């Protein structure tokens, strides 16, 4: 009866989220940059992914703040990267939620999957600064269905703003649905190649996060930065080597992209690869038109 | 010059009506001028005769053409724009930053909806809710009607037996009320004359009790409610039909409105339904039976909600399974076309339905034709041959003599085998020899009856084997003289031997 049970489980939990993520490898929150590279391949609990990873009695569960503001680490049976849920009780893409009571206050956190989100992979990889903090204004290029955008929205809180730009209509529909629940997400369904088309919707932003996966993405980021990024603002670009040039080696591609960015007055400050979560991916963090040091 | 920029950027934002905003912004996006912009520019032209700095070069060109204003577009302009954008809050007096954000948010949502070509009549939530309401109404209506009948039956029980239709009952009740008024009332609008006469007659000699004015009043209230709900139900059904035609025309053509609406409601939304495989759609609605069969390793159901589609309803029970599968396959195509397609025409659904109907016809015809090896021979209506089967009890079976060994020789087996086969077969093959018949009659009748039923249970494969075996063993009955063996042979063993 075992195979039939598993089949039944599959069919029953059609609507249930948690499945794929629960199976896709733990996502242990390495947290600090030192232990970040350990990554976390959690034990595969077999086919029965119906949230069977209940904590054994005796293990205390806690949430502690991460070095980056707005991000937290959940310590339990398995460690995970979490953000404070702005809309408690709702899962955006079927991710697991945890509720912790601190000093009598109940807080709900949503787990952040580094296999699905490049930003989470960068944080777990140990990036020095993500520059996305509470109350900041973020321009997110390549928002897709809004999975990472929702986490950014959690980090910046209700006082911040994230402008989510996505050109595809199918993903855009999901994005608009996410934006309906979270008022700090402004959906923009336009092509990021033409920032002038949505210039009346966006004010100046502090951070640009780009995950567009296009061969001309440096030009896209540069155009948007010239129009919307304030002086001294920062940018995070996720570069997929295959996308830019599938014949060259990954390092060469990253180097050429960095050079292109430098020509546009986008000064890169750090670069790190997203191993073990993605292959041949890198994240470049930098500053745009850095404010002169004398003014500080 | 600064004021000009401010006005340019801001002009749209101060407008209240959303639709105008969207129009003006979409125009700006495409680089065209709209009325508000024209107004503002004309005003500015009157004020100052300086060149206008534009962020969008295309827009600048258009402005120059139409309004003859000289426009500048250069990197300096971009820098200026950046400056203005950073200082936006300070430049525009009287607008809080929160208000601005709220306005931006509302505008962004409206624009994205415009982009997605969101049309309010393509929302499938209406269907889901409407069909649920329809079911609820039916339940409630049934309850109320039963209650009404029972209550009024206390006063005039005969009416319930005369008028079986619920709505006419209630209308009748509403018109008349107390039993005494029946003689004077005219019920000819909704009752045929004989029935009316019957009712009036029954009213005279009714055995129900008297009821007071208040009681009748309450019953009448209930009646009016019932009639209202009935009317609303018909309205709702029409509404559902309209919506289904608007939202999913191909599905409506294929399976009908009710079944289509139920499918959508079961899946949750049209998009969800489109994600299901054809086999899932076929048994959607029969989940309990499906999982029960899967758990106990039995045959799974062949149809779920699709059973109520007209195409499945009009076929013979044997072909219902086949039709349900075919219908499900074509229906999912229609569902996906409706869910993801751009245009909303029902041409594809009509085509598919025609194909299905043609296939259905061939299926039905094939049932009449015979499926033999060649397939060309038509079914021959067999001449009626009266076979007198006088079944008498054969006492030779109950002997106390020791039985022969169970191991039988092959020749014996063959003779036994083909005689039983012959008995079981429907008169497809003509039995030529009379001897065979005699032999069969001699056989233990009890065993034969059992054979027939057990052979019927055999699968088609075995029947085919029998057909093949038949021509081979036909010669034997003529020659051999099968003794009616008093051995009691087990059925199953015989089966096994027959198949050899």
């Amino acid at each position: 009866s075992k195979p039939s049970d598993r089949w039944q489980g599959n069919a029953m939990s059609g609507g249930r989220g948690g499945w794929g993520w629960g199976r896709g490898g733990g996502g242990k929150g390495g947290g600090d940059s030192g232990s970040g590279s350990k990554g976390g391949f959690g034990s595969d609990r077999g086919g029965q992914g119906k949230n069977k990873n209940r904590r054994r009695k005796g293990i205390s569960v806690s949430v502690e703040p991460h070095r980056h503001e707005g991000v937290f680490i959940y310590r339990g049976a398995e460690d995970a990267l979490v953000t404070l849920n702005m809309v408690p009780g709702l899962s955006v893409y079927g991710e697991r939620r945890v509720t912790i009571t601190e000093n009598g206050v109940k807080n709900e956190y949503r787990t952040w999957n580094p296999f699905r989100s490049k930003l989470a992979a960068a944080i777990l990889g140990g990036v020095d600064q993500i520059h996305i903090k509470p109350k900041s204004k973020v321009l997110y290029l390549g928002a897709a269905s809004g999975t990472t955008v929702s986490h950014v929205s959690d980090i910046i809180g209700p006082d911040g703003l994230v402008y989510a730009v996505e050109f595809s209509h199918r993903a855009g529909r999901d994005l608009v649905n996410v934006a309906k629940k979270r008022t700090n997400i402004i959906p923009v369904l336009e092509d990021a190649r033409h920032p002038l088309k949505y210039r009346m919707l966006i004010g100046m932003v502090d951070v640009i996060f780009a995950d567009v996966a296009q061969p001309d993405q440096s030009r896209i980021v540069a155009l948007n930065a010239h129009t919307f990024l304030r002086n001294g603002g920062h940018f995070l670009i996720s570069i997929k080597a295959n996308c830019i040039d599938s014949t060259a080696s990954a390092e060469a591609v990253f180097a050429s992209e960095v050079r292109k960015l430098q020509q546009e007055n986008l000064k890169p400050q750090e670069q790190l690869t997203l191993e073990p979560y993605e292959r041949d991916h890198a994240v470049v963090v930098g500053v745009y038109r850095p404010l002169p040091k004398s003014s500080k | 010059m600064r004021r000009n920029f401010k006005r340019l950027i801001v002009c749209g934002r101060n407008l209240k009506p959303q639709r105008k905003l969207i129009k003006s912004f979409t125009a700006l996006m495409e680089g065209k001028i709209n009325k508000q912009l024209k107004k503002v520019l004309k005003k500015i032209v009157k004020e100052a005769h300086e060149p206008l700095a534009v962020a969008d070069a295309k827009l600048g060109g258009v402005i120059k053409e139409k309004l003859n204003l000289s426009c500048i577009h250069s990197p300096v302009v971009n820098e200026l724009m950046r400056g203005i954008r950073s200082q936006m809050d300070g430049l525009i007096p009287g607008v809080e930053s929160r208000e601005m954000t709220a306005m931006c948010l509302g505008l962004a949502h409206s624009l994205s909806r415009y982009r997605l070509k969101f049309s309010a009549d393509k929302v499938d939530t209406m269907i889901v809710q409407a069909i649920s309401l329809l079911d609820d109404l039916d339940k409630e209506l049934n309850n109320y009607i039963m209650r009404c009948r029972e209550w009024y039956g206390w006063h005039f029980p005969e009416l319930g037996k005369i008028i079986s239709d619920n709505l006419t009952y209630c209308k009748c009740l509403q018109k008349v009320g107390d039993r005494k008024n029946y003689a004077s009332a005219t019920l000819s609008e909704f009752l045929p004359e004989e029935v009316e006469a019957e009712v009036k007659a029954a009213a005279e000699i009714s055995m129900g009790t008297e009821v007071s004015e208040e009681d009748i009043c309450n019953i009448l209230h209930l009646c009016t409610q019932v009639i209202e709900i009935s009317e609303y139900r018909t309205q709702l059904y029409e509404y559902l039909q309209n919506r289904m035609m608007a939202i999913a025309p191909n599905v409506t053509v294929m399976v009908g409105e009710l079944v289509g609406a139920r499918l959508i409601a079961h899946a949750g939304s049209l998009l969800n339904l489109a994600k299901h495989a054809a086999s899932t759609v076929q048994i959607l609605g029969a989940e309990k039976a499906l999982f029960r069969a899967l758990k106990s390793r039995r045959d799974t159901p062949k149809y779920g909600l699709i059973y109520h589609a007209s195409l499945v309803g009009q076929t013979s029970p044997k072909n219902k399974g086949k039709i349900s599968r075919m219908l499900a396959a074509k229906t999912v195509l229609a569902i996906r076309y409706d869910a993801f397609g751009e245009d909303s025409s029902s041409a594809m659904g009509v085509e598919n339905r025609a194909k299905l109907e043609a296939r259905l016809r061939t299926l039905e015809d094939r049932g009449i034709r015979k499926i033999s090896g060649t397939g060309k021979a038509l079914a021959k209506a067999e001449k009626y041959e009266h076979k007198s089967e006088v079944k008498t009890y054969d006492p030779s079976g109950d002997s106390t003599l020791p039985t022969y060994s169970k191991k039988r020789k092959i020749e014996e087996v063959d003779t036994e085998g083909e005689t039983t086969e012959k008995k079981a077969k429907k008169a497809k093959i003509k039995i030529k020899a009379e001897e065979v018949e005699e032999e069969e009659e001699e056989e233990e009748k009890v065993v034969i009856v059992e054979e027939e039923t057990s052979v019927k249970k055999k699968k088609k494969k075995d029947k085919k084997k029998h057909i093949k075996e038949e021509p081979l063993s036909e010669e034997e009955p003529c020659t051999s003289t099968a003794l009616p063996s008093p051995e009691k042979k087990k059925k199953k063993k015989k089966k096994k031997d027959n198949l050899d």
Side-chain angles (χ1 to χ4, degrees), chain B residues 133-149 166-167 170 222-234:
Chain B
L133 181 59
L134 205 64
D135 289 335
D136 284 342
L137 275 182
D138 282 334
K139 249 188 256 178
E140 285 308 308
L141 202 58
N142 196 35
N143 276 344
Y144 285 4
I145 282 175
M146 290 296 119
R147 176 66 54 213
C148 192
R149 274 182 183 255
N166 294 323
L167 201 53
C170 288
L222 178 59
C223 246
T224 26
Q225 282 298 309
V226 169
I227 296 177
E228 268 178 37
I229 294 182
S230 296
E231 281 168 9
Y232 176 57
R233 193 207 175 277
T234 36

Side-chain angles (χ1 to χ4, degrees), chain B residues 113 117-126 239 243 246-247:
Chain B
R113 250 187 254 148
K117 295 188 183 78
F118 172 85
S119 56
D121 46 321
K122 282 243 170 186
V123 178
D124 52 7
T125 338
M126 308 295 150
Y239 164 76
R243 292 271 99 230
I247 291 178

Side-chain angles (χ1 to χ4, degrees), chain A residues 9-29:
Chain A
N10 272 342
M12 291 299 200
S13 65
R16 291 261 223 119
W19 251 85
W21 162 213
R23 260 191 308 166
K28 293 212 157 111

Side-chain angles (χ1 to χ4, degrees), chain B residues 87 186 188 301 306 465:
Chain B
Q87 313 299 330
T186 44
S188 44
I306 278 229
K465 275 193 185 173

